[in-house]
Amino acid sequence: AAMADDPLGAIGPTGAPSLQRFDAWVSTRAERIAIRHAGSPPSTYGELGSLARRISSAIVTTVPASGPRVGILSEDAATLAASLLGTLKANAVFVPLDPANPRARLASIVADTRPALLIADESNVRLGERLAGAQIPLLRFASLPVAPTAADPPPPAPADALAWILYTSSSTGPPK
């Protein structure tokens, strides 16, 4: 049984999709710390929810196609978490691009996944520009509108929709 003040308990015994559960938590516990990561200030559920909505809105506004792949260039744990949530809210596919990886590996991942959009934090904008080239739009997290601009979020994706693409290490050959 859920605690009396647990917002997730109100959803019911069968549970709810992850995004609905996260949104319920944001709406009732926005001030609580969601992520603590060394070297970064803690992030609250409200901050994560706000950034996820801004990312989702930017994706839907920039790439209106269904199920686009979105490359994310960031080393910040909170930004990556919000990016995953935002791409899921937009029915997009999350493609994390670790800036610590060699440029050739990142270029290979971009060529393989063919993202419709790249989003980069300020410390990785130059790398994002190189990876995006002239073919892929590049957005900066710092330039995302403060308030979401998309009129309505898309309806939830089917349960079998692709959510993210992660590559294995390439210690024994090309990433898979």
Side-chain angles (χ1 to χ4, degrees):
M3 295 175 21
D5 65 343
D6 181 358
L8 304 181
I11 293 172
T14 60
S18 300
L19 293 175
Q20 288 177 346
R21 292 174 62 92
F22 179 77
D23 289 344
W25 194 258
V26 167
S27 69
T28 60
R29 299 292 187 351
E31 74 289 343
R32 288 221 174 151
I33 300 298
I35 295 180
R36 291 184 200 275
H37 190 265
S40 300
S43 298
T44 65
Y45 284 99
E47 291 166 338
L48 285 181
S50 174
L51 182 53
R53 284 189 304 279
R54 292 171 56 209
I55 292 167
S56 175
S57 176
I59 293 169
V60 171
T61 301
T62 307
V63 187
S66 178
R69 294 172 182 189
V70 178
I72 305 294
L73 272 166
S74 180
E75 300 159 86
D76 180 67
T79 302
L80 287 170
S83 296
L84 174 59
L85 292 163
T87 55
L88 292 174
K89 285 175 177 288
N91 291 341
V93 179
F94 175 68
V95 181
L97 300 167
D98 184 352
N101 282 325
R103 185 172 164 199
R105 175 183 167 94
L106 294 173
S108 171
I109 292 171
V110 168
D112 188 45
T113 60
R114 297 182 310 275
L117 175 66
L118 287 179
I119 306 176
D121 58 22
E122 289 307 303
S123 62
N124 292 295
V125 169
R126 290 219 188 263
L127 176 59
E129 290 170 344
R130 287 186 212 115
L131 292 172
Q135 303 86 340
I136 304 170
L138 176 68
L139 298 178
R140 297 174 176 206
F141 284 105
S143 299
L144 295 176
V146 174
T149 55
D152 291 314
D160 63 348
L162 186 61
W164 57 76
I165 299 174
L166 298 174
Y167 282 79
T168 63
S169 71
S170 58
S171 60
T172 60
K176 296 174 184 71

